[in-house]
Amino acid sequence: MPRQEIELPYRIDYLSILDEQGKVDQDLEPDVDKDFLLKLHRGMLLGRRFDERLLQLQRQGRMGTFAPITGQEAAQIGAVAALEDSDWLVPSFREMAAEIWRGKTMENVILLYAGYNEGGAIPDGLNNLPIAIPVGTQTLHAAGIAYAMKYRQEKHVAMVFFGDGATSEGDFHEALNFAGVFQVPVVFVCQNNHWAISIPRSKQTRSKTLAQKALAYGVPGIQVDGNDVLAVYSAAREAVERARSGDGPSMIECVTYRMSVHTTADDPKRYRREEDVEGWVAKDPITRFEKYLKSRKIFTDKKIEAIEAEIKQEIKEAVERSEKKMEELGDPLLMFDHVFAELPPYLREQHEELRKELRQDST
Amino acid sequence: MAKMTMVQAINLALKQEMEKDDNVVVLGEDVGVDGGVFRVTEGLFEQFGENRVMDTPLAEAGIIGFSIGMALYGLKPVCEIQFSGFTYLGFHQLESHAARLRGRSAGRFTVPMVLRAPYGGGVRALEHHSESREAYFAHTPGLKMVIPSSPRNARALLVSAIRDPDPVVYFEPKALYRAFREEVPEDEETMELGRSRIAREGKDITLISYGAMLHETMQAASALHQKQGIEAEVIDLMTIAPLDDALFIESARKTGRVVVIHEAPRSFGPGAEVAVRLVEKSFLYLEAPIRRVTGFDLVIPLFQREKAYLPGVDRIVRAVRETLDF
């Protein structure tokens, strides 16, 4: 009866394809065409520029609190780029770039953070859930959605995003466990940005990686350089293919960094040093990818300028559209919409109560 | 028509809805091979297989959150939480998501799920197995809270709950699971959610109850009739939220006297809401203060003292007499 090592079905790999200088590991370089690479770049750049614009709008008092994404563009775009439109995206609250890639409109993002519930609207045909704020809770929805896909024998995939903090939540573990037990087509994408407000990754768990948590549930996990869009995309493509071919769930830990505040209500100076952040500037996902694209002669500085101008214009138009939309949403009675399929009698009475009150206020 | 227990009637509702609609899926702890700890799902696993009658890992948040995902995709999950006292482990999923996704997505997504759980005292159980906390759910905007009182209405209400486009919490009074049998039609029967019913007509006083306590109330009403010729009108709420106040307000206007009976703790309980609606809408008709006969504001004691905790016939009769004598 010897004491012996138990062999586990999975091990943890770390994947990196583009280094900080934009130098590519040619053995690992994904086989994708030039247009796709340009699309990845545009998705990341749009995320960055829109994030900056949102921060201005918030500072100007035109919008309320939101959670910026700067620094995490590769970890988001690389992952959703592996999805088809018929797949589902289940975001948490810091995946704006991924949501927009998937078709969420910028004006809806603005509307939501400007305090209009309608900003959460998802048009028919777009398979994104609205954002989920209670940390980690959405992971279970993705597992359930994936079960329904499998139940209906549809070859779709659900992809769910969450942060390093979420891996401490029970729901995350229950979701991995359910996904493992029922072998459903879901991809768990952890945005390990090192901070859950003021709590560093090191205080979140004693585990060496977050990816290894998947192993406990019989689910393969991989850690990737989350600031390397090619690495994230390659890992996501592998996981999505695994899910689509009926081989069950996977988890991807994207090691990235929250370059900005937790939300606009947060002051990171209270808990982290500026030097910590500066170390990550050199790892910037967009700069790195631009170096790579230039080295492959896929584009030039001039081309980048043109894209920047295009994005600027798109954002400007979105802000204008959101402002116009806000004018249409001035009626507070809209708060009674979408509670139930039909408003029950007592809610109808309360609706009437507010209607009268509003009429009196205006006279 | 067959005479059925409530367990059999709920089983019939599940079976027939599953036969009718492939989107209906049952999941929970021990609901499959074992047929549920109260045998409510007996035979379903054999008939519909493991993909539709799913034995899940032991995790309440998991069961509820997973059901939400299934419902978002268009299935109609009916999940069982083995005892209502364990729903709190997944309460956040109901409160934060099931109840809100319609609103959060501005109407794009709905969560047509049912959460079934046995609730209430009277079966000599362990701690966490006897409580009556429907108020948590009734207090949550976006959730419906249904509690049947007989085999026939249990079946009809569950069918309606499964077909409802919004999330429904459906508490089953476990004390009534096998307490009596009632004729339940084989043919489909539904009952609109959000509607109460008159369980007994009367003119002297209005007694409002639901679930297992409805039967204590009905017995009290018969005793009052037999001994003193008092004609109590009994109203069975059946849906706690959205609460149907039309019927009991009409009744209170007729009788002028009201007693509300439930086993849930008194403070902030469903009786408080009923009483306030009566004050709001029938104040000038009331001849006496509204009385509440309820559980005390305590964790329900273990079963040696359970009988003294739960409202019973004597306590209800006394409250009725005092209200009539006021």
Side-chain angles (χ1 to χ4, degrees):
Chain A
M1 304 289 167
R3 174 171 167 160
Q4 59 190 31
E5 191 182 340
I6 295 171
E7 291 219 2
L8 296 174
Y10 304 114
R11 54 173 205 180
I12 295 293
D13 286 349
Y14 175 81
L15 178 67
S16 155
I17 297 176
L18 271 187
D19 72 10
E20 289 172 24
Q21 280 69 48
K23 250 187 79 194
V24 72
D25 181 330
Q26 285 177 346
D27 293 339
L28 295 171
E29 194 176 10
D31 175 27
V32 290
D33 64 27
K34 188 180 129 189
D35 287 345
F36 184 76
L37 293 171
L38 285 170
K39 207 177 155 206
L40 290 178
H41 173 261
R42 198 179 197 287
M44 292 199 289
L45 193 63
L46 176 70
R48 174 75 56 93
R49 296 294 173 249
F50 188 44
D51 206 48
E52 291 162 355
R53 185 73 183 108
L54 291 177
L55 200 57
Q56 286 172 346
L57 292 172
Q58 191 277 335
R59 298 301 188 217
Q60 290 163 2
R62 293 158 75 185
M63 235 181 58
T65 301
F66 78 105
I69 62 143
T70 289
Q72 298 179 218
E73 296 85 355
Q76 298 182 16
I77 295 298
V80 284
L83 295 178
E84 303 290 335
D85 289 346
S86 50
D87 296 328
W88 281 53
L89 168 67
V90 180
S92 78
F93 54 79
R94 199 190 300 284
E95 286 89 28
M96 173 269 283
E99 290 179 276
I100 290 172
W101 173 280
R102 294 269 308 167
K104 173 140 184 149
T105 63
M106 286 189 276
E107 59 263 35
N108 272 3
V109 174
I110 298 170
L111 278 181
L112 186 71
Y113 297 127
Y116 294 91
N117 294 55
E118 288 75 6
I122 307 285
D124 283 341
L126 177 60
N127 300 319
N128 291 6
L129 288 197
I131 64 165
I133 294 175
V135 170
T137 53
Q138 73 284 0
T139 53
L140 280 163
H141 308 160
I145 287 168
Y147 183 84
M149 291 165 168
K150 185 178 172 180
Y151 177 78
R152 288 194 177 159
Q153 299 176 319
E154 293 166 347
K155 294 211 167 293
H156 306 317
V157 176
M159 179 179 278
V160 58
F161 282 82
F162 52 93
D164 42 313
T167 65
S168 301
E169 290 277 9
D171 283 14
F172 160 75
H173 294 271
E174 295 185 27
L176 269 178
N177 192 37
F178 272 62
V181 167
F182 295 112
Q183 283 294 289
V184 297
V186 58
V187 179
F188 293 90
V189 182
C190 178
Q191 303 269 294
N192 170 9
N193 71 9
H194 285 82
W195 293 96
I197 306 189
S198 69
I199 309 300
R201 155 66 185 82
S202 59
K203 285 192 180 169
Q204 210 58 248
T205 174
R206 180 79 177 155
S207 299
K208 188 165 181 182
T209 69
L210 300 177
Q212 75 197 59
K213 292 180 187 288
L215 271 55
Y217 302 101
V219 172
I222 186 171
Q223 190 184 61
V224 303
D225 178 346
N227 283 11
D228 169 0
V229 71
L230 296 182
V232 177
Y233 172 71
S234 295
R237 193 169 65 176
E238 189 181 309
V240 166
E241 276 168 13
R242 179 180 297 128
R244 210 183 297 289
S245 58
D247 293 329
S250 318
M251 174 170 164
I252 302 167
E253 175 191 355
C254 304
V255 181
T256 179
Y257 201 79
R258 198 192 80 210
M259 299 300 283
S260 182
V261 289
H262 161 67
T263 69
T264 46
D266 168 47
D267 174 15
K269 285 194 212 76
R270 295 172 61 87
Y271 53 82
R272 73 179 186 188
R273 296 172 310 167
E274 213 38 51
E275 302 94 271
D276 298 337
V277 184
E278 280 160 14
W280 282 83
V281 173
K283 301 179 203 277
D284 186 89
I286 299 177
T287 322
R288 187 191 307 194
F289 195 53
E290 286 178 351
K291 282 181 190 159
Y292 163 74
L293 292 177
K294 280 192 230 167
S295 74
R296 281 194 52 187
K297 313 263 184 280
I298 287 172
F299 71 16
T300 57
D301 283 333
K302 216 173 151 194
K303 173 87 178 163
I304 297 180
E305 276 170 37
I307 296 170
E308 290 270 17
E310 241 176 70
I311 286 174
K312 198 172 172 188
Q313 182 61 24
E314 264 177 54
I315 292 173
K316 184 168 170 270
E317 286 167 13
V319 173
E320 286 164 4
R321 276 198 303 276
S322 73
E323 280 165 352
K324 211 169 146 210
K325 184 86 186 168
M326 285 178 212
E327 289 166 21
E328 297 164 20
L329 296 171
D331 184 356
L333 282 171
L334 289 169
M335 74 173 79
F336 284 91
D337 284 1
H338 312 303
V339 189
F340 294 111
E342 273 178 59
L343 219 50
Y346 201 56
L347 267 176
R348 283 204 298 273
E349 289 168 24
Q350 292 174 21
H351 179 273
E352 182 59 14
E353 186 183 317
L354 178 61
R355 198 184 62 81
K356 280 188 186 151
E357 189 181 302
L358 294 168
R359 206 167 46 193
Q360 277 166 3
D361 285 352
S362 64
T363 53
Chain B
M1 284 227 239
K3 281 204 145 196
M4 288 187 187
T5 62
M6 188 181 279
V7 165
Q8 292 167 327
I10 294 170
N11 182 273
L12 178 69
L14 292 170
K15 179 177 140 70
Q16 289 185 334
E17 284 306 285
M18 290 182 83
E19 282 169 351
K20 188 170 287 220
D21 184 355
D22 281 348
N23 289 315
V24 181
V25 173
V26 165
L27 67 156
E29 295 157 13
D30 309 300
V31 300
V33 178
D34 193 38
V37 294
F38 287 101
R39 307 288 174 261
V40 171
T41 53
E42 194 156 46
L44 300 180
F45 181 84
E46 290 76 7
Q47 186 176 350
F48 300 103
E50 63 176 1
N51 292 336
R52 292 189 71 189
V53 185
M54 302 162 63
D55 275 322
T56 66
L58 205 165
E60 287 76 13
I63 293 167
I64 301 171
F66 201 75
S67 298
I68 291 170
M70 292 161 81
L72 288 167
Y73 201 76
L75 300 189
K76 290 172 173 272
V78 182
C79 70
E80 174 178 306
I81 299 298
Q82 206 157 70
F83 287 89
S84 71
F86 304 126
T87 45
Y88 321 129
L89 285 92
F91 184 74
H92 65 288
Q93 284 290 347
L94 284 175
E95 206 290 331
S96 304
H97 297 301
R100 298 175 186 225
L101 272 153
R102 179 188 281 278
R104 187 179 300 143
S105 65
R108 163 69 191 282
F109 296 109
T110 59
V111 184
M113 68 178 278
V114 178
L115 182 151
R116 295 180 35 246
Y119 92 106
V123 299
R124 300 171 65 85
L126 294 167
E127 196 191 345
H128 309 289
H129 292 69
S130 299
E131 50 215 83
S132 181
R133 299 288 171 82
E134 54 276 20
Y136 296 147
F137 307 91
H139 189 66
T140 302
L143 289 184
K144 295 183 181 178
M145 170 80 238
V146 173
I147 301 184
S149 59
S150 81
R152 186 166 179 171
N153 65 38
R155 186 278 194 105
L157 286 167
L158 183 56
V159 170
S160 296
I162 292 170
R163 295 181 190 177
D164 198 277
D166 288 300
V168 179
V169 179
Y170 179 93
F171 272 10
E172 299 164 4
K174 63 173 105 56
L176 300 183
Y177 265 159
R178 292 182 173 81
F180 64 99
R181 287 172 186 268
E182 188 182 25
E183 297 280 355
V184 177
E186 179 69 20
D187 288 346
E188 174 181 311
E189 193 172 51
T190 59
M191 257 181 136
E192 196 182 337
L193 306 188
R195 294 293 283 272
S196 55
R197 69 181 179 105
I198 295 178
R200 184 186 197 283
E201 286 192 29
K203 58 177 177 25
D204 299 325
I205 189 163
T206 302
L207 310 182
I208 303 169
S209 190
Y210 55 89
M213 288 302 112
L214 182 81
H215 296 273
E216 303 294 324
T217 305
M218 291 294 277
Q219 283 175 41
S222 323
L224 286 160
H225 174 63
Q226 281 164 16
K227 288 185 191 149
Q228 277 131 343
I230 294 163
E231 293 295 347
E233 181 144 289
V234 178
I235 292 184
D236 180 5
L237 292 177
M238 299 193 296
T239 298
I240 311 305
L243 184 65
D244 171 18
D245 57 23
L247 210 54
F248 69 70
I249 282 162
E250 194 188 310
S251 178
R253 287 180 179 187
K254 180 172 74 182
T255 65
R257 295 168 202 272
V258 179
V259 179
V260 194
I261 302 101
H262 58 60
E263 59 183 286
R266 185 174 305 163
S267 298
F268 307 96
E273 182 61 30
V274 168
V276 170
R277 300 257 187 126
L278 287 163
V279 170
E280 285 171 345
K281 297 182 177 182
S282 56
F283 183 67
L284 293 175
Y285 297 84
L286 295 176
E287 312 265 359
I290 299 159
R291 275 289 289 271
R292 286 181 285 174
V293 180
T294 66
F296 300 106
D297 289 341
L298 303 168
V299 172
I300 184 168
L302 295 182
F303 57 86
Q304 293 297 349
R305 297 176 195 136
E306 192 180 44
K307 196 162 175 290
Y309 174 90
L310 293 169
V313 173
D314 293 347
R315 199 180 290 166
I316 299 167
V317 165
R318 218 167 20 250
V320 168
R321 285 215 195 104
E322 285 166 15
T323 305
L324 287 168
D325 292 344
F326 181 81

